[in-house]
Amino acid sequence: MPRYALKVEYDGAPFAGWQRQADQPSVQGAIEDALARLEPGPHTIAAAGRTDAGVHALGQVAHCDMAKDWDAFRLSEALNFHLKPLPVSILVAKRVDDAFHARFSATERQYLFRLISRRAPVTHERGKVWQVQHPLELEPMQEAARHLLGRHDFTTFRASICQAASPVKSLDELRVEAFDIPHGREFHFHVRARSFLHNQVRSFVGTLERVGAGSWAPDDVKTALDARDRAACGPVCPPQGLYLARVGYPQDPFA
């Protein structure tokens, strides 16, 4: 059966997450339903990461097996037609080797978190960012983020329902930058690793926001990390500012 890699963009707001669920809408379910319109019968796709409810994607990667030998461009066009009007888009499809697996072949995942600091409520970006009304300082957050880089036991930043076998992970990048916007500032948190624990990125951002607000000192983040205790974590920020930005592979399946 021919296998195809799909690069997927979506707005997570209407969905209960990526993973197919019996009684709630999911991104996986939407794509599998569209595939069934092209080739009747059950379809099961796999993705590089199972994003939670409300989390978005700029470059999620999934793969599907088809009975017919599709032209990759026509497959993406047909899927986009049947996905309408849902906020899910197949950016590109590519025929790949049978050994390719969207999840297990991936060597890194990159996330972007968007946070806006301004007094007035956001309008155009509603549902796409986390907004706080108080000012934030960039440099203390950058200093605090450096404590999290490298290989650590991230129990403090791990959800209680996380199913990962170990809390030990290597964090390759946690970069914070800021941009002036009308009447406020937007902060971007760029996070990169091979894999992540459940709620790890949102736990990082929620904790760093406390540093930017002045409630925590940068060194408090190292103290929280060393505690290896979920109770030592700062607040977990809401999902709507989080984007799965990119998935890395030894060879780019879309090249």
Side-chain angles (χ1 to χ4, degrees), residues 49-244:
R50 297 176 177 178
T51 53
D52 290 337
V55 176
H56 315 295
L58 305 173
Q60 170 74 281
V61 177
H63 77 258
C64 65
D65 294 324
M66 304 296 287
K68 176 184 171 182
D69 191 359
W70 284 80
D71 174 80
F73 175 74
R74 291 191 63 190
L75 177 61
S76 64
E77 291 287 287
L79 285 173
N80 284 331
F81 177 82
H82 290 295
L83 283 165
K84 293 186 294 189
L86 295 173
V88 182
S89 176
I90 309 301
L91 298 176
V92 61
K94 196 79 169 180
R95 176 76 181 268
V96 291
D97 187 87
D98 291 349
F100 175 84
H101 193 285
R103 178 184 176 190
F104 298 121
S105 300
T107 55
E108 69 174 21
R109 292 149 178 91
Q110 297 182 21
Y111 284 89
L112 164 68
F113 195 97
R114 299 177 58 202
L115 189 163
I116 284 182
S117 166
R118 82 172 194 186
R119 188 69 185 172
V122 296
T123 53
H124 300 296
E125 300 293 341
R126 184 175 299 172
K128 304 296 189 300
V129 299
W130 176 29
Q131 181 184 8
V132 298
Q133 293 186 310
H134 47 269
L136 299 173
E137 293 295 327
L138 174 63
E139 289 76 12
M141 290 192 286
Q142 293 174 326
E143 180 182 347
R146 287 193 283 271
H147 292 302
L148 299 170
L149 293 172
R151 188 169 180 82
H152 302 286
D153 181 329
F154 284 109
T155 296
T156 297
F157 302 95
R158 177 189 194 185
S160 58
I161 61 171
C162 181
Q163 298 178 352
S166 170
V168 177
K169 295 286 183 182
S170 293
L171 184 66
D172 299 317
E173 180 181 17
L174 177 47
R175 178 167 51 91
V176 191
E177 57 184 351
F179 309 90
D180 289 332
I181 61 172
H183 310 290
R185 296 185 91 190
E186 179 167 345
F187 295 83
H188 286 185
F189 299 78
H190 301 274
V191 193
R192 177 170 54 87
R194 184 180 184 92
S195 61
F196 291 89
L197 302 166
H198 191 198
N199 277 357
Q200 187 177 359
V201 176
R202 289 168 56 196
S203 297
F204 284 164
V205 175
T207 299
L208 293 176
E209 187 276 338
R210 292 290 77 206
V211 175
S215 297
W216 287 40
D219 286 347
D220 290 339
V221 173
K222 185 178 188 309
T223 301
L225 174 67
D226 293 341
R228 300 177 185 175
D229 181 355
R230 182 64 178 170
C233 185
V236 178
C237 65
Q240 66 266 19
L242 183 58
Y243 298 75
L244 176 54

Side-chain angles (χ1 to χ4, degrees), residues 16-30 32-33:
W18 166 269
Q19 191 170 5
R20 179 180 59 249
Q21 301 184 41
D23 57 347
Q24 297 186 76
S26 69
V27 183
Q28 180 184 8
E32 289 175 349
D33 288 347

